């Protein structure tokens, strides 16, 4: 069987244990400081692919364009040439070592899936299989992605189940199982269960918690959504959008205690990004809703929350003033905002 491969930060996920290090050529150094437009302009195909991999960009059209230009002849070969003489007279793609060749092929395969070019994706996968065992976890994962792209969700799910049988902590397989369920209407509960299973093993994944929060929101389970977004805020305390979303969720759940939490997170969102108009509108609404709740409470409860009531009044005034100023000169919208904000502050 072929030698094992490991993840390599610069050359891509495939690297053979037998691959020899190669000196970098001009214009294609792995850690080049050149920006992407310059590499594209110079038609440095290898440099473009490396740059996109290193910076984790999603540019499928660029990858396909430069991947084809780099690997064109190699897509029909079993593996790159290792003859040093031929490396000089053949195009640069023929001078690639096995690890760089595999990394470029995988990158091109995933980009093809992104634009639904199933034929090109299948060709890339076939070439990868000539150098790496089809039983490899990475190759099986790519096979699952190709099956998903072609619409064979059952086949893809079977591949991922096999990967999880070998390694229950395989994060890539868990993510793809969730993605398959998420794409199918009527499977919300199974989707949530799949995402919970992933987060049990990857509790530090802020994007995963945000996905769970959005899923719970779509299902109408706002309390669970607030729990998920609390995890997002813990992982990303300087994320203005996360604070804004969490504040909106607390306001949706309602009740005096939740409305106080809502205004806290909305105020924090504005502290991080003063231009966040969504947070500003939500702050006025949440503080106003808190005042309404307090007005319905008994005298003893109103007195107990007297300080919070004064804070809420000031927040409504602050938000209304900022919004009126932000929409000045916007025609009819400015007049509408002024009417709404005066209605919010009229009784204060």
């Amino acid at each position: 069987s072929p030698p094992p491969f490991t993840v390599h930060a610069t050359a891509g996920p495939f690297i053979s244990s037998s691959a020899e290090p190669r000196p970098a050529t001009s214009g294609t150094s792995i850690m080049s400081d050149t920006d992407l437009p310059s590499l594209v302009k110079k038609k440095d195909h290898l440099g473009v692919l490396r740059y996109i991999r290193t910076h984790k960009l999603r540019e499928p059209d660029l990858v396909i364009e430069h991947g084809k230009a780099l690997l064109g002849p190699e897509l029909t070969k079993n593996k790159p040439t290792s003859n040093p003489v031929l490396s000089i007279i053949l195009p640069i793609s023929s001078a690639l070592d096995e690890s760089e060749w595999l990394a470029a092929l995988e990158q091109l395969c995933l980009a093809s899936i992104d634009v639904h070019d199933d034929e090109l994706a299948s060709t890339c996968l076939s070439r990868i299989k000539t150098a790496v065992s089809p039983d490899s976890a990475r190759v099986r994962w790519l096979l699952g992605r190709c099956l998903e792209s072609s619409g064979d969700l059952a086949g893809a799910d079977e591949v991922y189940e096999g990967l999880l049988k070998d390694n229950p902590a395989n994060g890539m397989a868990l993510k793809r199982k969730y993605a398959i369920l998420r794409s199918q209407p009527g499977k919300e509960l199974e989707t949530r269960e799949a995402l919970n299973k992933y987060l049990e093993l990857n509790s530090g994944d802020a994007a995963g918690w945000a996905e769970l929060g959005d899923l719970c929101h779509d299902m109408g389970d706002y309390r669970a959504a607030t729990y998920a977004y609390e995890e997002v805020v813990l992982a990303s305390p300087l994320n203005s959008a996360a604070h804004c979303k969490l504040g909106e969720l607390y306001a949706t759940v309602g009740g005096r205690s939740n409305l106080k939490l809502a205004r806290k997170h909305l105020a924090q969102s504005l502290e991080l990004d003063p231009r966040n108009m969504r947070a500003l509108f939500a702050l006025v609404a949440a503080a106003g809703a808190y005042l309404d709740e307090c007005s319905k409470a008994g005298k003893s409860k109103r007195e107990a929350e007297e300080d919070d009531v004064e804070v809420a009044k000031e927040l409504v005034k602050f938000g209304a003033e900022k919004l009126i100023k932000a929409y000045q000169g916007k025609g009819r919208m400015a007049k509408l905002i002024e009417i709404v904000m005066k209605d919010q502050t009229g009784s204060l």
Side-chain angles (χ1 to χ4, degrees):
S1 61
F5 61 91
T6 56
V7 175
H8 190 275
T10 54
F14 291 108
I15 180 166
S16 168
S17 61
S18 63
E20 294 295 329
R22 300 172 62 89
T25 56
S26 175
T28 60
S29 62
I30 291 177
M31 298 304 293
S32 173
D33 293 329
T34 309
D35 60 16
L36 184 58
S38 299
L39 292 170
V40 172
K41 187 176 180 180
K42 290 192 298 183
K43 295 185 179 180
D44 182 354
H45 308 306
L46 183 57
V48 169
L49 295 183
R50 282 173 169 168
Y51 186 97
I52 291 173
R53 280 203 307 274
T54 302
H55 293 81
K56 299 181 180 180
L57 304 179
R58 187 172 184 176
E59 298 284 353
D61 293 327
L62 269 181
V63 170
I64 290 174
E65 177 187 349
H66 292 275
K68 281 184 173 180
L70 178 70
L71 296 170
E74 299 297 347
L75 288 175
T76 60
K77 295 182 180 181
N78 285 342
K79 60 172 60 178
T81 180
S82 57
N83 188 317
V85 177
L86 291 179
S87 297
I88 297 173
I89 61 175
L90 288 178
I92 187 172
S93 58
S94 296
L96 295 176
D97 61 30
E98 188 176 45
S99 62
E100 194 75 66
W101 180 70
L102 286 168
L105 275 173
E106 183 193 27
Q107 195 174 2
L108 183 56
C109 179
L110 291 172
S112 305
I113 291 171
D114 224 8
V115 299
H116 304 290
D117 188 342
D118 297 334
E119 184 178 352
L120 179 56
S122 179
T123 300
C124 293
L125 183 59
S126 296
R127 297 290 81 77
I128 290 172
K129 286 181 179 179
T130 64
V132 181
S133 170
D135 295 328
S136 153
R138 191 78 183 194
V139 172
R140 289 156 67 193
W141 180 78
L142 285 172
L143 172 61
R145 293 298 307 273
C146 289
L147 291 172
E148 280 187 72
S149 180
S150 65
D152 186 1
L153 299 184
D157 188 69
E158 186 177 343
V159 171
Y160 300 140
E161 279 292 346
L163 288 171
L164 290 171
K165 186 176 180 181
D166 294 342
N167 177 16
N170 188 319
M172 295 191 299
L174 288 169
K175 282 184 178 181
R176 295 318 307 171
K177 278 185 67 67
Y178 163 76
I180 289 174
L181 290 168
R182 187 75 156 112
S183 67
Q184 301 177 68
K187 290 194 174 183
E188 288 80 7
L189 292 176
E190 295 93 329
T191 302
R192 183 167 167 175
E193 183 180 347
L195 188 51
N196 278 328
K197 188 177 295 186
Y198 169 76
L199 288 171
E200 284 176 7
L201 299 169
N202 301 274
S203 58
D205 188 343
W209 284 110
E211 185 70 23
L212 180 61
D214 293 339
L215 178 61
C216 291
H217 177 275
D218 293 345
M219 295 174 67
D221 189 348
Y222 300 113
R223 291 187 182 277
T226 58
Y227 177 86
Y229 264 93
E230 283 284 7
E231 295 292 331
V232 177
V233 167
L234 282 173
S236 308
L238 301 181
N239 187 330
S240 173
H243 280 285
C244 182
K245 181 73 173 182
L246 181 55
E248 291 174 350
L249 288 167
Y250 272 123
T252 302
V253 174
R256 289 195 304 276
S257 60
N258 286 320
L259 287 168
K260 284 195 286 185
L261 288 170
R263 79 187 192 202
K264 180 185 80 171
H265 285 288
L266 292 166
Q268 182 62 35
S269 177
L270 286 167
E271 178 75 18
L272 294 167
D273 181 8
R275 298 171 298 174
N276 191 334
M277 291 293 105
R278 184 184 181 107
L280 203 51
F281 275 109
L283 180 62
V284 172
Y290 173 77
L291 292 173
D292 290 341
E293 287 283 334
C294 288
S295 66
K296 299 173 187 176
K299 183 178 179 181
S300 60
K301 290 183 178 180
R302 286 202 303 271
E303 291 176 351
E305 303 207 21
E306 187 175 348
D307 291 341
D308 285 317
V309 168
E310 291 304 315
V311 170
K313 288 180 180 180
E314 291 303 316
L315 287 174
V316 172
K317 292 176 185 177
F318 167 81
E321 181 183 337
K322 290 289 185 182
L323 285 168
I324 290 172
K325 185 177 180 180
Y327 282 91
Q328 277 182 350
K330 303 292 184 180
R332 295 177 62 185
M333 190 64 182
K335 293 181 179 179
L336 179 61
I337 292 294
E338 188 174 354
I339 292 170
V340 172
M341 291 302 110
K342 283 184 176 179
D343 182 60
Q344 287 281 344
T345 58
S347 60
L348 301 180

